[in-house]
Amino acid sequence: MKQHWLSGSLGFNPGQHSVRKEIFAGLISYFSVVYIVMVNATILNDAGMPLQAAMVGTILTSMAGCLLMAFWGKSPIIVVPGMGINAFFTYTLVHSMKLSWQEALAVTTTAGILFAVLAFSSLYKKISEAIPHNLQHGITVGIGLFLTFIGLQKSGIVIAHQTTFVTIGHFSDPNVITACITLLLALVLFVRKVKGDLLISILVGTVLAYVLGASRPSSAKMEGQPLQQYGELFAHLSYGSIASLAFWIAVFLLLLIIVFENIGLIVAQTRMIDRPENFTGALRALSISNILAGIFGSSPTVAAAESSAGIAAGGRTGLSPFVTALLFGATFFFIPLLTYIPDSAIAPVLILIGSLMVQNIQQMDFRDFTEAFPAFLVMVMIPFTYSIIDGMAFGFIAYPVAKLAARRGREVKTVMYVITVLFTANFVLHALM
């Protein structure tokens, strides 16, 4: 079989790789991760974006990310908007920091540009190495708990009140029944390692919701055509607050999150295919995809953990994400149908993903209290304050304080002191407003 220009561009070698395996891996990756179209759009809708437009933005961002990874990264890594980061976008940037979703998109693209600067130099190593591992894992665990809480609320299993924190929902409610059954189904399928487990759970949960008489999507979500709605979203970045401290704190924190998460994921995934030399190209491709995310109207992208499903199926080159990108393109035809998926079918996926993120607690060292307590604050304060930025702030401020109290201030890198000052300034700013 002769080397074709396309296969060469994707890092595919006919003598070493199987076309059939790569295509199958792309299919498996797509069905493992396509749930993100519905789930991400639902979270972005909470930020005020039109639902169908958010679906288009999610699809275009995923297509662009997968194509960049295919031709630049030449690795079987699927690039989609990240779970957890989308929660930061909506519930922290928009709800807590009071940015408009247009300003949050500007934050995303700006963070993407800075990410690219880091990725095309060696600066990303300095930032990554400056943040203690306990705090990095604590952020992931805290966001996982936060996603779980959001999922429990969306499902109706728990209800938040102004007078009390939460109460158990009414189990006679069809939405709660649907969510509970869907969650159990998702658990069984995940444990059994069924391909496309989360997608199957969402589809079954949707059918069950209508059988049980759960509420339908609001008519407001269905108004207009997807592409017509998308005109309200594409390239609608707003830099109106670029001169404010809050804007740059948001950029800096978002940058930290996407750098932490993606470096770890890409290192693991390139090692899985025995191609660690692909790391640099993959990281750079992902950084560019984050710039495009804000322009296309989506929250930031990550190297999806579901990429491991495609790698397990035989994916070794860029041909795998190329196939996945084509399948994302075909998803455009199903957008009107996707709007009928209720929260009760999506919420269990948030709960399950939250539980997977909490597993990072295994990587944390609790033997040193000066390391453990700040990370503990991050984990508990993110869900308890309903704010990722506030939860991070408590832990990042406590870390140097604990080290200085133990007369071990030299263990804190300069970058950490800078971050602490920024978090403190953010608290002071909000107190004065």
Side-chain angles (χ1 to χ4, degrees):
M1 185 176 179
K2 294 183 179 180
Q3 179 83 354
H4 190 272
W5 71 268
L6 178 60
S7 61
S9 300
L10 298 171
F12 179 84
N13 188 331
Q16 298 178 356
H17 309 110
S18 165
V19 174
R20 179 180 296 180
K21 280 188 176 181
E22 294 291 337
I23 293 176
F24 183 66
L27 284 166
I28 292 297
S29 295
Y30 170 77
F31 284 110
S32 297
V33 82
V34 68
Y35 72 87
I36 198 67
V37 175
M38 298 83 80
V39 178
N40 191 60
T42 299
I43 291 177
L44 295 181
N45 182 240
D46 286 349
M49 295 184 185
L51 181 65
Q52 293 190 65
M55 288 184 180
V56 175
T58 300
I59 292 172
L60 287 176
T61 300
S62 300
M63 287 181 64
C66 288
L67 289 174
L68 282 167
M69 187 59 69
F71 288 100
W72 201 335
K74 295 180 173 56
S75 301
I77 297 172
I78 307 306
V79 179
V80 295
M83 292 299 301
I85 299 181
N86 51 13
F88 181 85
F89 180 97
T90 293
Y91 304 109
T92 296
L93 298 187
V94 177
H95 290 188
S96 295
M97 300 186 73
K98 307 303 180 184
L99 298 175
S100 66
W101 61 260
Q102 293 91 339
E103 290 171 330
L105 290 178
V107 169
T108 297
T109 291
T110 305
I113 293 171
L114 294 178
F115 186 16
V117 171
L118 297 177
F120 282 85
S121 67
S122 60
L123 292 175
Y124 69 87
K125 293 182 180 178
K126 294 182 179 180
I127 292 181
S128 179
E129 292 171 357
I131 310 301
H133 290 294
N134 264 22
L135 287 181
Q136 293 186 34
H137 292 305
I139 293 169
T140 302
V141 173
I143 293 176
L145 293 172
F146 188 42
L147 274 180
T148 301
F149 185 44
I150 292 170
L152 290 170
Q153 285 186 286
K154 282 185 173 294
S155 66
I157 295 175
V158 300
I159 302 172
H161 300 278
Q162 291 183 349
T163 53
T164 58
F165 187 53
V166 291
T167 59
I168 298 295
H170 301 287
F171 284 90
S172 59
D173 185 340
N175 286 295
V176 176
I177 297 172
T178 299
C180 290
I181 296 176
T182 305
L183 178 59
L184 292 175
L185 174 63
L187 173 63
V188 172
L189 294 178
F190 182 82
V191 171
R192 299 288 296 177
K193 298 182 179 179
V194 175
K195 305 297 183 185
D197 48 357
L198 299 182
L199 175 62
I200 294 171
S201 301
I202 290 174
L203 295 178
V204 172
T206 300
V207 173
L208 185 61
Y210 288 100
V211 170
L212 296 177
S215 59
R216 293 174 177 269
S218 67
S219 58
K221 291 184 178 182
M222 292 298 297
E223 290 178 357
Q225 296 298 317
L227 292 180
Q228 291 177 343
Q229 281 194 5
Y230 188 59
E232 305 171 18
L233 189 62
F234 177 71
H236 271 57
L237 297 77
S238 172
Y239 281 93
S241 61
I242 192 171
S244 69
L245 179 60
F247 180 89
W248 288 105
I249 288 176
V251 168
F252 189 68
L253 295 178
L254 188 59
L255 176 64
L256 290 179
I257 294 173
I258 58 179
V259 168
F260 294 157
E261 186 156 353
N262 284 304
I263 288 177
L265 286 167
I266 294 176
V267 166
Q269 290 160 355
T270 51
R271 284 177 179 172
M272 286 177 69
I273 61 172
D274 293 323
R275 286 187 169 187
E277 68 276 8
N278 286 14
F279 171 83
T280 301
L283 187 69
R284 290 174 177 176
L286 209 144
S287 69
I288 300 301
S289 75
N290 272 283
I291 298 175
L292 297 177
I295 297 172
F296 286 144
S298 175
S299 50
T301 56
V302 298
E306 290 84 357
S307 299
S308 58
I311 294 173
R316 292 295 180 272
T317 71
L319 181 55
S320 175
F322 179 75
V323 171
T324 304
L326 296 180
L327 291 171
F328 267 119
T331 311
F332 276 112
F333 298 103
F334 303 101
I335 288 178
L337 294 177
L338 296 179
T339 58
Y340 283 101
I341 298 174
D343 283 348
S344 59
I346 293 176
V349 173
L350 298 179
I351 297 170
L352 186 60
I353 291 174
S355 72
L356 296 176
M357 296 178 73
V358 169
Q359 291 182 26
N360 272 49
I361 200 169
Q362 300 175 76
Q363 309 299 323
M364 300 173 68
D365 184 1
F366 289 99
R367 291 172 296 181
D368 183 347
F369 193 72
T370 64
E371 297 280 342
F373 184 71
F376 167 75
L377 282 180
V378 171
M379 288 188 293
V380 298
M381 294 305 289
I382 286 177
F384 287 172
T385 62
Y386 212 77
S387 169
I388 296 172
I389 185 173
D390 289 341
M392 289 174 62
F394 277 98
F396 276 71
I397 292 173
Y399 185 80
V401 171
K403 290 295 184 181
L404 289 170
R407 298 181 180 179
R408 293 160 54 188
R410 292 183 179 180
E411 295 179 12
V412 183
K413 302 289 179 66
T414 303
V415 173
M416 269 299 297
Y417 283 116
V418 172
I419 295 173
T420 300
V421 170
L422 286 173
F423 274 123
T424 305
N426 183 52
F427 276 143
V428 173
L429 177 67
H430 279 77
L432 296 176
M433 290 177 64

